[in-house]
DNA sequence: GTGAAAGCGCTAACAT
DNA sequence: ATGTTAGCGCTTTCAC
């Protein structure tokens, strides 16, 4: 592989001049430019990104951390980030945690290694003060809702609490009076999905409804989990049955509907089901899903713009107006 | 950030010894090991992957090129690659082409830059002789079926022709006598999907069926494309209508079915529809899709193992027996 | 077993 | 406008 030295020699110039050419430094005469360009082509030269980074201390790789890529929410997010990053000359290193705290630490360590100049965390497993301590090694953008305040971390999030509040009210406005709730977490103050829980609780309170412990389902993520919920729901005493369920995930919602159908329970007339995410298949299901759409495209774009601006120390202001969640009404509720 | 020099100083040793410790070189006394370990911890030291790569010329990043991540086929593939790569101490740089030849070249150039030590191409846009010319800069694994022969390129592919042949025969065995065909390419010898085309043509020939030009649909990828196909099909003269269509993609198949339903044409009794990919939503559709499942998991695993073995110059033999495509029979055909 | 020193390919003062 | 030179943080002979 040709190096900058070979190019300099071939062009009859010093490496400095070639380096300047590479960095479009001003003050470099046209004829030398021409010579350098020719030499580079003749030698099939491509600068070593490695050496450049080591020396200049500015990298061009952004890390992106997700739970799992096969979740369409993350796939669409990463897709949007990749497009925006490429546009600005950055590349993406993708890491999956699969819910593992240590994997997240390993990824954060890449900031120390200088493998990545910045990290976009689309999911976070460890406490944010741990994450925050890594900001001294590189820029970090967090894209999950949180109450954590920090001058070092950058946030770009949607309002999950408000969206859930709106979704529950949507059901209430449609006349449903008993609304069950499924969450991916354990329904505690620190769990995953705690902001959605708050929205649910607040909506019940606003409408003067009581929380029914038997209508709360925890740690649900998959279609199978949804089927399990439907089974449990169907076993409840007639008088103790909800007439709607907010599933908190399209997969779970689909599972619930599928099982209800098997059991001869009709959606939405017997019981309404509402999802979350508006995944691509949601409109294609047997009973098209009423759900909450997340703005993955703009979320990803803005996350990319934000991390790049912090890396390059330029200005970028997040525009929350484009980060609204939206209720998509179809047939399941 | 602490460097190897700081660690050496703190441990009262030379950088050489510390470097040896880092590379688990033999011949290094236990007490020094202990000292080094302590010094590293005290200084919160993490080696700069950048410097290591520059000096030693062996990197630990693998590039992965896909068309688009939001296609579940690629998402599952990348997921499998990521898991296997992580296991072996490698990271993934993801690039999307969106069908653009130049993007593919840009990605190949990363091999020259030394940004990546190897590249897994899950899709390829340029001619393989161009791709092949890049093997002098790094290992390349190609994961699409091809007739191209090369000692430099590494292939890990499924037999799309055979799978299509089997799928068409599956339809024929079920008694369908007129089988329409949709492809993502333009149905020529060089187009995307040419191996599947061959399988289709061969199956027709084996069964003594004629190719009907009006039953061939080109450049279809999306649900909307599928709907368009259904519309066109419904306009055909009664006597000139196929009783089955092989859609070549689950999205297209879903679109076809959706439109047929609107038009009051019943699947599969009026016309059968078969997809390709077995995407997650395929079993959840209104009419669960009969389709061909691709072995993304093992494909991804083996692609990762293969590229790592070529990077590290160890042995790895692809096991084609685990790379079989499989017909999944559901209700649409 | 351990260390001194050269150098991977590039950038950035500092000169001129 | 162009060149000289000293490193970035690490690995790797070669010497002892």
């Amino acid at each position: 592989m040709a190096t900058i030295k070979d190019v300099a020699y071939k062009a009859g110039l010093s490496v400095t001049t070639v380096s300047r050419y590479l960095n479009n430094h001003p003050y470099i005469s046209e004829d030398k430019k021409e010579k350098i360009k020719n030499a580079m082509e003749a030698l099939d030269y491509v600068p070593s990104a490695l050496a450049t980074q080591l020396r200049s201390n500015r990298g061009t790789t952004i890390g992106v951390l997700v739970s799992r890529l096969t979740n369409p929410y993350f796939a669409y997010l990463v897709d949007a980030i990749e497009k925006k990053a490429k546009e600005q000359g950055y590349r993406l290193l993708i890491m999956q945690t699969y819910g593992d705290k240590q994997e997240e630490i390993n990824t954060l360590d890449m900031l120390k290694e200088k493998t990545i100049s910045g990290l976009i965390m689309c999911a976070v497993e460890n406490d944010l003060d741990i994450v925050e301590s890594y900001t001294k090694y590189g820029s970090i953008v967090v894209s999950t809702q949180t109450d954590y305040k920090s001058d070092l971390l950058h946030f770009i999030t949607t309002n999950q609490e408000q969206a859930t509040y709106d979704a529950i009210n949507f059901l209430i406005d449609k006349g449903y009076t008993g609304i069950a709730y499924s969450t991916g977490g354990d329904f505690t103050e620190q769990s995953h999905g705690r902001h959605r829980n708050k929205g649910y609780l607040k909506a019940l309170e606003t409408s003067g409804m009581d929380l029914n412990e038997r209508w709360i389902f925890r740690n649900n993520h998959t279609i199978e989990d949804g089927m399990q919920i439907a089974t449990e729901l169907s076993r409840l005493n007639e008088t103790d049955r909800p007439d709607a369920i907010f599933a908190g995930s399209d997969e779970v919602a689909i599972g619930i509907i599928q099982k209800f159908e098997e059991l001869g329970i009709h959606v939405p007339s017997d019981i309404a089901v509402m999802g979350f995410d508006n995944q691509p298949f949601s409109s294609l299901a047997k009973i098209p899903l009423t759900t909450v759409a997340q703005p993955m495209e703009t979320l990803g774009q803005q996350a990319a713009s934000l991390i790049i601006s912090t890396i390059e120390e330029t200005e970028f202001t997040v525009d929350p107006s484009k980060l609204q969640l939206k209720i998509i009404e179809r047939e399941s509720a």
Side-chain angles (χ1 to χ4, degrees), chain A:
Chain A
M1 284 281 353
T3 73
I4 196 173
K5 221 166 149 182
D6 302 326
V7 175
Y9 180 80
K10 182 126 192 166
L13 294 164
S14 74
V15 287
T16 311
T17 312
V18 180
S19 171
R20 288 203 175 107
Y21 174 86
L22 249 21
N23 299 282
N24 349 282
H25 190 94
Y27 308 131
I28 168 166
S29 61
E30 286 306 322
D31 56 325
K32 315 264 160 174
K33 275 190 192 169
E34 193 59 29
K35 272 187 189 162
I36 294 173
K37 199 169 137 236
N38 292 148
M40 284 183 175
E41 269 165 22
L43 295 169
D44 192 24
Y45 170 79
V46 175
S48 157
L50 233 44
T52 308
Q53 277 177 235
L54 178 60
R55 182 61 238 239
S56 69
N57 215 14
R58 48 186 148 69
T60 162
T61 304
I62 296 170
V64 179
L65 186 65
V66 300
S67 301
R68 32 176 272 268
L69 266 174
T70 51
N71 177 331
Y73 171 76
F74 291 117
Y76 278 84
L77 209 49
V78 172
D79 172 68
I81 295 172
E82 201 268 349
K83 284 188 225 156
K84 178 60 90 180
K86 181 182 286 167
E87 206 180 296
Q88 316 247 62
Y90 285 80
R91 327 354 256 253
L92 254 43
L93 234 161
I94 311 282
M95 305 292 289
Q96 309 191 90
T97 61
Y98 267 85
D100 187 312
K101 284 191 179 195
Q102 187 52 48
E103 283 303 340
E104 187 167 287
I105 298 293
N106 294 345
T107 305
L108 284 162
D109 277 337
M110 299 190 354
L111 249 12
K112 289 192 199 170
E113 284 176 10
K114 298 275 173 220
T115 307
I116 53 177
S117 311
L119 177 63
I120 299 176
M121 303 179 72
C122 304
V124 1
E125 299 296 334
N126 291 273
D127 293 333
L128 279 174
D129 48 347
I130 296 182
V131 173
E132 188 177 27
S133 72
Y134 277 85
T135 51
K136 55 174 170 294
Y137 307 116
S139 318
I140 301 179
V141 164
V142 172
S143 174
T144 52
Q145 197 182 352
T146 173
D147 298 322
Y148 194 84
K149 295 280 172 258
S150 167
D151 293 332
L152 303 170
L153 254 19
H154 301 269
F155 295 100
I156 175 154
T157 57
T158 50
N159 195 332
Q160 304 277 315
E161 176 180 341
Q162 182 68 42
T164 307
Y165 179 76
D166 293 343
I168 303 297
N169 279 323
F170 167 85
L171 292 172
I172 293 173
D173 290 348
K174 292 209 103 183
Y176 298 106
T177 53
I179 301 169
Y181 181 83
S182 158
T183 169
D186 57 12
F187 205 64
T188 60
E189 286 288 327
Q190 308 76 235
S191 66
H192 272 301
R194 58 186 175 284
H195 294 92
R196 294 190 192 171
N197 300 347
K198 270 202 216 162
Y200 172 66
L201 263 12
K202 198 172 130 204
L204 290 195
E205 200 186 315
T206 310
S207 302
M209 292 177 174
D210 288 331
L211 176 66
N212 184 336
E213 251 306 320
R214 287 180 304 285
W215 294 357
I216 304 298
F217 299 87
R218 296 168 168 83
N219 301 312
N220 303 112
H221 304 274
T222 65
I223 293 177
E224 287 68 35
D225 292 337
M227 291 182 157
Q228 182 59 32
I229 291 174
T231 306
E232 289 179 34
L233 240 22
S234 71
R235 288 197 187 126
L236 286 180
N237 206 306
E238 282 279 347
T239 57
D240 189 34
R241 238 186 244 177
D243 56 0
I245 176 163
F246 177 81
S249 135
D250 282 359
E251 281 97 335
V252 173
I254 293 276
I256 293 175
I257 294 175
Q258 196 128 301
K259 182 54 106 185
F260 273 155
E261 192 168 84
E262 280 175 33
L263 297 169
I265 296 172
H266 194 254
V267 174
S269 57
D270 292 331
I271 180 166
V273 179
M274 188 159 181
F276 205 107
D277 268 358
N278 190 32
Q279 298 207 342
F281 60 78
S282 304
S283 61
L284 307 171
K286 285 181 196 108
I287 298 174
L289 217 55
T290 294
T291 187
V292 179
Q294 305 226 50
M296 283 94 92
E297 181 84 22
T298 41
L299 203 50
Q301 280 171 4
Q302 296 204 29
S305 298
L306 181 54
I307 195 110
I308 292 171
S309 75
T310 65
I311 289 172
E312 298 181 348
E313 296 182 326
T314 57
E315 277 306 313
F316 176 79
T317 335
V318 173
D319 179 357
S321 75
K322 293 195 176 133
L323 261 24
Q324 300 299 322
L325 289 94
K326 213 173 102 196
I327 292 173
I328 309 285
E329 184 172 2
R330 297 205 185 92
E331 294 171 27
S332 71

